[in-house]
Amino acid sequence: MYQINFNSPIHIYFIGIGGISMSGLAEILLSEGFRISGSDRTPSPLTHTLEEQGAVVHYGQQAENITADIDLIVYTSAIRPDNPELSTAGRLNIPTLTRAQLLGQMMKNYQVPIAISGTHGKTTTTSMISGILLEHKADPTLSIGGIYKPIGGNIRVGSSEYFVTEACEYTNSFLSFFPKIGIILNIEEDHLDFFKDIHDIRSSFHRFAELLPADGTLIISGDIDRFEEITEGLSCRIITYGSSAGCDYHPAGITYDASGCPSFHLMRRSGKEDVFSLRVPGEHNVYNAVAAIALADLLDIPVETTAAALRSYGGTDRRFEHKGEVNGITVIDDYAHHPTEIAATLTAARELPHKTTWCVFQPHTYTRTKTFLADFAKSLSLADEIVLADIYAAREKDTLGISSQTLQAEIEKLGHRCYYFPSFSEIESFLLENCTKGDLLITMGAGDIVKVGDHLLQK
């Protein structure tokens, strides 16, 4: 594998430079004196930011973009071998690294690289941890999978020993990492277009945990089914958190304010107890916060600093994000695209004052929709009214005979009314006609369903 010498900056070309993670890595390397160029399909705020910082961005992926002065090509798992730029790199014998391999090499440059993994909650927990380190004036380098307003984006370049990043299991990406501290929030079935089954997924997370050195630490949820199998044979320190008093950390006495935001007592195995309050709703965020608190304790951050950071944490873009109001209807947007995430979001919504909850859901990938069809129907039925958009294909093609109308039929089998419209404009017209003052409207999914709420708020 090609090894980067960070003391000798080179010219690196990113195929898909506008992605949330790729753009962040490019921005860090720009700050380190590397020459950066790349390509993406269309301009975006992320590519504009890179261009302002000196990167050269091509729009459209074409063979002629790859020139002999490029020292290294970086690409994501979404790039196919026949991609014209990747193919040209091979013909010119230009070395290549995957995004995950590059990120792993970058982690080696920091004394305390921290990787947050799990099927759900990575972006929120990473942002909470980021806020705690910033409140502590620790000057961390941050790579977050969403837009975090306090840093004005998804990346922050610091000068301390701390490097914080999300660690995604898809295509085993996180197995290219070199963390000193790892967090595993949860392990569930997902990405079954890559993994064979839940056993394959659990094996991947176990291998991730094995990456931690003997002087490192794994923070893991004790609510994970048979979590001891994940920690078996590890030489590092293990800290558990979860709903059980048998964990090193667990919350108790959870209450909610008028906005659905929780407060809780944090119970430690040591006997020390503290009270924390959050500005983001939902019980699932209590457990994200507990994981962040366990890390803060490990880093000897004063509890007052941690509590202040969590009190001020207002979320990240597309994570139960309050977008505004139209005609007295509150519009929320959320990235949830897995049944467990949907259930957590809709359960959190119940704590907010409202009349009727409308969930406008855009399924993400045909594989996921088919695999979890019954679970999607059950989770979405927690909403009062359900509206479906067409499936967002992402990296897939429609070869499975599945559609949003299939999901609609599954929901209706449960005795729950469900609407389907093939276009966003039809969805928007329907919502304007049927939502009333005091209703809560949640656009939900990992695709571009956010546009529905944005368009409504412009009317």
Side-chain angles (χ1 to χ4, degrees):
M1 183 192 304
Y2 182 89
Q3 297 291 322
I4 296 176
N5 180 355
F6 287 87
N7 294 317
S8 181
I10 58 175
H11 180 188
I12 302 180
Y13 188 96
F14 287 77
I15 304 176
I17 197 169
I20 192 76
S21 178
M22 291 280 272
S23 64
L25 299 182
E27 189 172 340
I28 293 173
L29 291 172
L30 278 167
S31 72
E32 295 288 339
F34 284 75
R35 180 183 169 195
I36 299 298
S37 60
S39 63
D40 218 298
R41 289 179 295 178
T42 56
S44 70
L46 293 174
T47 60
H48 289 155
T49 296
L50 290 172
E51 289 173 315
E52 289 170 358
Q53 295 179 5
V56 175
V57 181
H58 302 280
Y59 296 104
Q61 293 173 354
Q62 301 171 353
E64 53 264 35
N65 294 338
I66 306 303
T67 54
D69 65 327
I70 295 171
D71 300 301
L72 175 68
I73 300 281
V74 178
Y75 64 99
T76 70
S77 57
I79 301 301
R80 298 182 181 278
D82 61 355
N83 176 278
E85 294 184 341
L86 191 57
S87 297
T88 303
R91 181 170 54 81
L92 296 177
N93 293 317
I94 299 174
T96 63
L97 289 176
T98 66
R99 178 202 64 85
Q101 289 169 338
L102 172 63
L103 179 51
Q105 290 194 25
M106 293 172 69
M107 294 175 81
K108 291 182 177 180
N109 281 331
Y110 297 83
Q111 290 180 309
V112 189
I114 302 166
I116 297 92
S117 73
T119 312
H120 324 292
K122 292 185 292 293
T123 297
T124 295
T125 308
T126 303
S127 300
M128 286 179 171
I129 289 168
S130 299
I132 293 168
L133 289 170
L134 291 171
E135 183 76 18
H136 189 52
K137 305 287 192 291
D139 196 21
T141 295
L142 309 172
S143 178
I144 304 172
I147 302 302
Y148 182 44
K149 288 183 175 65
I151 62 173
N154 67 309
I155 203 76
R156 180 188 189 274
V157 179
S159 58
S160 74
E161 70 269 31
Y162 296 110
F163 180 92
V164 181
T165 185
E166 295 184 29
C168 181
E169 74 276 18
Y170 184 57
T171 68
N172 285 327
S173 292
F174 61 4
L175 299 186
S176 296
F177 291 4
F178 296 89
K180 178 74 173 290
I181 301 172
I183 297 178
I184 300 179
L185 301 167
N186 37 63
I187 302 174
E188 292 191 37
E189 283 187 314
D190 200 8
H191 301 303
L192 293 176
D193 57 327
F194 175 77
F195 293 110
K196 289 181 289 189
D197 49 32
I198 185 61
H199 304 293
D200 192 20
I201 295 168
R202 288 173 61 88
S203 173
S204 184
F205 275 94
H206 176 63
R207 290 161 63 196
F208 169 72
E210 288 180 322
L211 297 175
L212 294 162
D215 61 345
T217 302
L218 175 66
I219 299 171
I220 185 170
S221 170
D223 293 336
I224 294 172
D225 183 37
R226 305 187 315 279
F227 80 91
E228 297 90 351
E229 294 177 0
I230 308 300
T231 61
E232 183 179 3
L234 298 185
S235 59
C236 67
R237 178 182 181 184
I238 298 168
I239 297 173
T240 60
Y241 75 95
S243 58
S244 167
C247 293
D248 297 314
Y249 291 78
H250 75 277
I254 302 173
T255 59
Y256 297 89
D257 64 16
S259 298
C261 297
S263 295
F264 60 95
H265 291 258
L266 180 75
M267 317 301 289
R268 297 176 178 84
R269 190 185 296 274
S270 65
K272 189 174 185 296
E273 178 182 341
D274 291 293
V275 178
F276 294 87
S277 297
L278 305 180
R279 277 181 54 209
V280 288
E283 184 178 20
H284 61 294
N285 278 322
V286 169
Y287 290 96
N288 291 334
V290 173
I293 295 165
L295 174 66
D297 282 3
L298 178 67
L299 299 179
D300 292 322
I301 296 174
V303 69
E304 297 80 11
T305 301
T306 302
L310 291 175
R311 275 197 308 272
S312 64
Y313 173 70
T316 54
D317 284 9
R318 304 224 58 211
R319 272 68 177 181
F320 211 90
E321 180 186 5
H322 183 276
K323 303 288 288 189
E325 293 190 4
V326 55
N327 301 332
I329 303 159
T330 300
V331 179
I332 301 289
D333 181 62
D334 197 271
Y335 191 70
H337 55 286
H338 182 282
T340 300
E341 297 165 350
I342 293 167
T345 296
L346 293 177
T347 300
R350 289 178 172 177
E351 301 294 336
L352 275 66
H354 66 281
K355 287 167 50 180
T356 301
T357 301
W358 291 80
C359 179
V360 184
F361 180 61
Q362 180 186 45
H364 189 261
T365 74
Y366 300 101
T367 302
R368 186 180 284 114
T369 305
K370 184 171 184 177
T371 300
F372 299 116
L373 189 66
D375 294 324
F376 275 127
K378 183 178 178 181
S379 295
L380 288 166
S381 295
L382 293 171
D384 298 314
E385 301 285 354
I386 307 164
V387 179
L388 297 180
D390 276 329
I391 293 172
Y392 189 86
R395 55 191 173 265
E396 295 184 344
K397 294 182 179 180
D398 184 7
T399 60
L400 300 176
I402 198 83
S403 71
S404 289
Q405 288 166 295
T406 315
L407 178 55
Q408 179 188 27
E410 193 74 16
I411 292 169
E412 290 174 342
K413 277 168 51 178
L414 298 177
H416 205 298
R417 185 167 55 196
C418 178
Y419 306 92
Y420 159 76
F421 298 98
S423 71
F424 284 0
S425 60
E426 291 172 279
I427 291 174
E428 291 159 19
S429 297
F430 175 80
L431 295 172
L432 286 172
E433 291 174 8
N434 290 277
C435 292
T436 60
K437 184 177 180 179
D439 285 355
L440 181 65
L441 170 62
I442 306 176
T443 56
M444 186 181 290
D448 57 355
I449 193 66
V450 61
K451 294 177 180 177
V452 169
D454 289 342
H455 290 164
L456 290 174
L457 291 169
Q458 293 168 9
K459 295 184 182 294

